[in-house]
Amino acid sequence: MGAPLFSPLTLRGLTIPNRVVVGPMCQYSAVNGDASDWHLMHLGQYAKSGAGLVITESAHVEPIGRITHGCLGLYSDANEEALGRVVDFCHTHGTAKLGVQLSHAGRKGSTRLPWEGRAAPLDAEGWDTVGASGQPRAEGWPRPAPLDNAGMDRVRRAHVDAVTRAARIGFDLVELVMAHGYLLHEFLSPLSNHRTDTHGGDLNNRMRFPLSVFTAMRAAWPKDKPFGVRVSATDWVDGGWTPDNTIVLANALKKLGCDYVAVSTGGLSLDQKIALGEGHQISFAARIRKAAGLPVMAMGMIEDPLHANRIIDDGDADMVALARAMLSDPHWPWRAAAALGEDVNYPSQYLRGYRSKWLRERRATPSQ
Ligand SMILES: Cc1cc2nc3c(=O)[nH]c(=O)nc-3n(C[C@H](O)[C@H](O)[C@H](O)COP(=O)(O)O)c2cc1C
């Protein structure tokens, strides 16, 4: 039997050739939300990396829903055309399936580029942000305007428009962000949701808007294509969002037609105390998978191919997403395949550099 990491996975009508996912990574290199040549290169290299699935960085559903001025958008015709060019490029030259991550930054928007001062709010060129409630992210951060009913309708519609654009330009999969302290997570967590209407208070109320966004988007996304949701399984703060809450959310999403949950943690509160370490989020993924009976994507400090394979083999997750390991080693799947005695897709142009094949050829002709 082959290595589970390199076995295919079918979600609805999509068969992903293996379980290695290149996770979403903001590049802050878009102009007015338009993908640039940087995105062609960045995503193009991963499309041919041997990974089964590549997920774009967050594409934001409206201009004020961006994190920075350099963030990707999918709210205009120009955004759609620019990202469509990247999708075509990756599908033509690579073998990975392509997913788009859609998000609204909420009160974490209007931020400087990380290399201009990590997670600092913009001053002069900033914009007014919106949130679940009026509390800023932290002291010194702009106060978001709490979304009223008309605002929630607008934001829901923006999500639907974005997923319609994503379908039109041929993405294979979509992932909606309810994680990392961004808008939908702000509704979910009692630390950031202080509303007194039907969208605040108990868990059902706090889930109401995020679930309504999901439902509207799912209806606009092709039935034969998978739709996942990224969650933060815990805020890592006492009194915050918990793994038990996440299981309730995952069960509700499953009923509404969600195909997988991508399990991250944190990002909402600066008071978070994260227990960091190799694969530190995997136990959350495994719990959600078991309790909700839904495929899960595990992530966070996964680097060793044998570890990644074990995560799938042990039934802790259905996919593993790598981010930083893929930045430092863009052909990580080749290395993993060699370590596990497997084959992955690789371009003919790179045949002579493909290590496991090279090793096999050497073994077959020992005199060389
Ligand atoms: C440069 C960079 C940008 C990121 N951007 C996003 C993003 O757009 N959306 C998201 O959900 N996670 C984002 N993440 C988080 C990663 O997808 C991943 O979950 C996290 O880095 C942990 O995995 P790792 O240890 O393999 O890097 C980003 C991470 C990095 C390093």
Side-chain angles (χ1 to χ4, degrees):
M1 213 189 76
L5 186 64
F6 286 97
S7 62
L9 173 70
T10 298
L11 298 171
R12 297 202 186 220
L14 180 72
T15 297
I16 301 168
N18 62 58
R19 312 304 183 96
V20 181
V21 179
V22 181
M25 285 183 270
C26 285
Q27 297 296 296
Y28 314 100
S29 302
V31 180
N32 295 322
D34 295 348
S36 64
D37 282 359
W38 178 266
H39 296 91
L40 281 185
M41 181 177 70
H42 170 71
L43 293 167
Q45 71 176 334
Y46 294 131
K48 62 145 183 67
S49 70
L53 173 67
V54 175
I55 303 184
T56 69
E57 69 194 78
S58 279
H60 297 92
V61 301
E62 63 173 354
I64 63 157
R66 288 175 300 164
I67 308 167
T68 71
H69 279 294
C71 282
L72 207 57
L74 198 40
Y75 47 76
S76 72
D77 291 349
N79 292 167
E80 184 179 331
E81 194 183 328
L83 198 53
R85 176 171 167 248
V86 177
V87 174
D88 289 347
F89 182 85
C90 291
H91 276 155
T92 302
H93 297 292
T95 53
K97 302 299 176 189
L98 264 195
V100 62
Q101 191 183 64
L102 295 176
S103 183
H104 191 300
R107 70 178 184 179
K108 282 179 85 174
S110 189
T111 306
R112 279 196 243 161
L113 305 188
W115 48 83
E116 290 174 351
R118 195 176 155 71
L122 277 167
D123 314 319
E125 294 158 346
W127 59 85
D128 293 335
T129 59
V130 294
S133 298
Q135 286 77 10
R137 178 177 186 223
E139 223 182 290
W141 279 72
R143 285 195 167 273
L147 284 174
D148 57 12
N149 284 339
M152 280 189 281
D153 286 347
R154 187 199 74 239
V155 168
R156 191 184 303 106
R157 234 179 3 255
H159 279 84
V160 171
D161 289 349
V163 86
T164 305
R165 291 183 187 280
R168 213 153 42 211
I169 55 179
F171 275 108
D172 302 304
L173 169 151
V174 66
E175 180 174 298
L176 172 65
V177 174
M178 295 193 188
H180 300 160
Y182 297 115
L183 183 67
L184 299 181
H185 186 183
E186 289 165 23
F187 272 84
L188 294 173
S189 174
L191 299 177
S192 46
N193 183 335
H194 306 285
R195 301 175 73 99
T196 52
D197 61 1
T198 53
H199 295 280
D202 69 20
L203 180 59
N204 277 335
N205 277 0
R206 284 184 276 118
M207 293 195 309
R208 195 180 308 279
F209 180 59
L211 291 180
S212 80
V213 172
F214 176 85
T215 303
M217 291 173 80
R218 179 70 260 189
W221 180 246
K223 280 199 174 50
D224 61 333
K225 291 189 180 185
F227 194 137
V229 171
R230 179 169 282 221
V231 297
S232 282
T234 172
D235 285 337
W236 297 109
V237 179
D238 285 345
W241 180 258
T242 66
D244 286 342
N245 293 164
T246 313
I247 288 167
V248 175
L249 175 68
N251 274 307
L253 286 167
K254 185 182 171 184
K255 283 200 195 100
L256 296 171
C258 179
D259 299 297
Y260 74 89
V261 176
V263 184
S264 190
T265 64
L268 185 104
S269 167
L270 298 186
D271 296 331
Q272 64 187 13
K273 302 263 179 310
I274 303 183
L276 274 180
E278 189 188 28
H280 67 293
Q281 297 174 149
I282 293 160
S283 60
F284 297 107
R287 245 191 95 187
I288 292 160
R289 184 177 194 259
K290 203 162 162 212
L294 200 60
V296 298
M297 187 188 289
M299 67 196 68
M301 301 179 82
I302 300 167
E303 194 160 0
D304 174 9
L306 301 184
H307 181 213
N309 190 53
R310 209 163 50 242
I311 293 168
I312 306 295
D313 200 18
D314 288 351
D316 287 345
D318 302 273
M319 295 170 270
V320 290
L322 283 72
R324 287 165 293 181
M326 291 296 298
L327 288 182
S328 61
D329 183 3
H331 284 120
W332 186 94
W334 293 11
R335 189 159 61 78
L340 294 164
E342 287 284 340
D343 259 329
V344 283
N345 283 316
Y346 54 90
S348 313
Q349 294 93 327
Y350 282 24
L351 190 80
R352 296 184 66 180
Y354 184 59
R355 191 165 166 74
S356 68
K357 187 168 175 57
W358 179 67
L359 287 174
R360 264 200 313 278
E361 278 171 2
R362 282 239 314 206
R363 272 198 297 272
T365 50
S367 59
Q368 281 186 334

